[in-house]
Amino acid sequence: GNSVTQMEGPVTLSEEAFLTINCTYTATGYPSLFWYVQYPGEGLQLLLKATKADDKGSNKGFEATYRKETTSFHLEKGSVQVSDSAVYFCALGGSNFGNEKLTFGTGTRLTIIP
Amino acid sequence: DTGVSQNPRHKITKRGQNVTFRCDPISEHNRLYWYRQTLGQGPEFLTYFQNEAQLEKSRLLSDRFSAERPKGSFSTLEIQRTEQGDSAMYLCASSPQGADSPLHFGNGTRLTVT
C-alpha cells in the first residue's frame, strides 16, 4: 500500500539556519506529493505540492523537488524564521489516486529559536 | 471565505456514550472529507463525500461510525458506543472539485473518551 516516511522530530534550529526535513514514499503508480503545515492553534494548510517527477514545489521560501528515482520529496528552506515553527506533514495522493486518499506521514515538529 | 468550521472543539464523554460532531465546509466546496489524527501520527483518511453522496469509506470506519451530508452542505460524524480507542482529533476538510485541488482543513474536534 501507499506510505510516507518522514524524518522524526522534534527539530530545533536557530533563526537563519538551513532546514531540511526528509520525506520518502512508497506508492504504486504516480502520486502527487504535498507538504502540509500546521501552525500552533490552526488547522492544516497546504504549503506546497508537486504533481510529477522533477517538479519543484515552492512557497514562502520553502522548496521540495519530486524525485522519482529516490522516491523522495524533501522539504528545504535556506533561512528559517521563528514564524516557521510548526508541524510539517508530507503527504501523497492526487488525481491518479483520488484526493480523498491523501496518505500522510507522522509529522515533524519544528521549533526555531531566536 | 470563512474557512472550514468544526464543532465542538472539544468533547469529553464516557465510554459507551454516543457523540456527534459537525463540520461546515467552505460554501462553494462540493467535496468534504473526514480524517482522524492520534497523538504523534499524521491524519488518517476516514471517509469522503462529493455533494451529498458518500463515495468512499476507510476500513478504519467501523460499524459504530456513521457520517452524513444530507444536503451537500454541512456534515455530521456520529460515533456510537464510544470506546477509549476512539479518543483522537477528528479533522474535517473540504475542497472544490478538480484535479489536485488542495484540501482546506478545520481546526478539528478533540474527543476524549474516559
Side-chain angles (χ1 to χ4, degrees):
Chain A
N2 301 327
S3 67
V4 175
T5 302
Q6 255 184 266
M7 173 178 175
E8 286 197 17
V11 174
T12 302
L13 294 172
S14 297
E15 204 166 20
E16 299 183 3
F18 183 84
L19 168 72
T20 300
I21 301 177
N22 290 340
C23 171
T24 57
Y25 68 91
T26 302
T28 52
Y30 305 100
S32 294
L33 300 172
F34 306 83
W35 278 99
Y36 278 78
V37 59
Q38 187 169 29
Y39 298 105
E42 299 184 16
L44 281 155
Q45 56 187 273
L46 179 66
L47 179 60
L48 54 84
K49 69 178 185 182
T51 57
K52 60 183 187 297
D54 300 325
D55 267 3
K56 178 185 284 187
S58 61
N59 186 25
K60 298 183 180 180
F62 290 89
E63 292 183 341
T65 301
Y66 189 159
R67 301 284 187 203
K68 185 165 173 282
E69 64 277 12
T70 54
T71 62
S72 65
F73 193 54
H74 305 320
L75 183 67
E76 296 183 335
K77 186 174 185 181
S79 175
V80 293
Q81 305 301 312
V82 171
S83 57
D84 294 326
S85 298
V87 183
Y88 293 80
F89 294 90
C90 185
L92 67 82
S95 56
N96 287 337
F97 288 62
N99 264 355
E100 66 274 18
K101 283 187 175 173
L102 276 184
T103 299
F104 286 86
T106 54
T108 302
R109 181 175 298 277
L110 173 67
T111 302
I112 307 301
I113 52 177
Chain B
D1 178 357
T2 57
V4 176
S5 175
Q6 290 188 248
N7 287 288
R9 290 296 303 274
H10 304 275
K11 178 70 177 177
I12 300 173
T13 192
K14 292 185 178 179
R15 189 177 54 186
Q17 297 295 304
N18 298 345
V19 294
T20 300
F21 310 140
R22 176 178 170 127
C23 172
D24 288 89
I26 294 171
S27 57
E28 61 268 26
H29 288 180
N30 61 356
R31 288 183 171 174
L32 186 147
Y33 310 78
W34 287 99
Y35 284 80
R36 181 173 67 188
Q37 186 176 17
T38 53
L39 199 61
Q41 300 298 314
E44 296 173 296
F45 170 77
L46 294 178
T47 188
Y48 110 99
F49 293 83
Q50 183 156 306
N51 299 312
E52 66 275 11
Q54 187 174 18
L55 296 188
E56 187 154 358
K57 291 170 63 172
S58 162
R59 286 172 296 176
L60 293 174
L61 218 61
S62 76
D63 292 345
R64 297 183 296 104
F65 288 70
S66 62
E68 294 183 344
R69 193 182 184 198
K71 296 182 180 179
S73 56
F74 72 91
S75 175
T76 57
L77 178 67
E78 180 182 17
I79 309 174
Q80 296 182 326
R81 305 182 303 283
T82 52
E83 300 173 357
Q84 286 187 322
D86 297 331
S87 297
M89 178 75 84
Y90 289 84
L91 301 173
C92 178
S94 69
S95 76
Q97 192 165 351
D100 299 326
S101 297
L103 272 61
H104 296 253
F105 283 85
N107 286 354
T109 293
R110 182 171 295 284
L111 173 66
T112 302
V113 181
T114 61

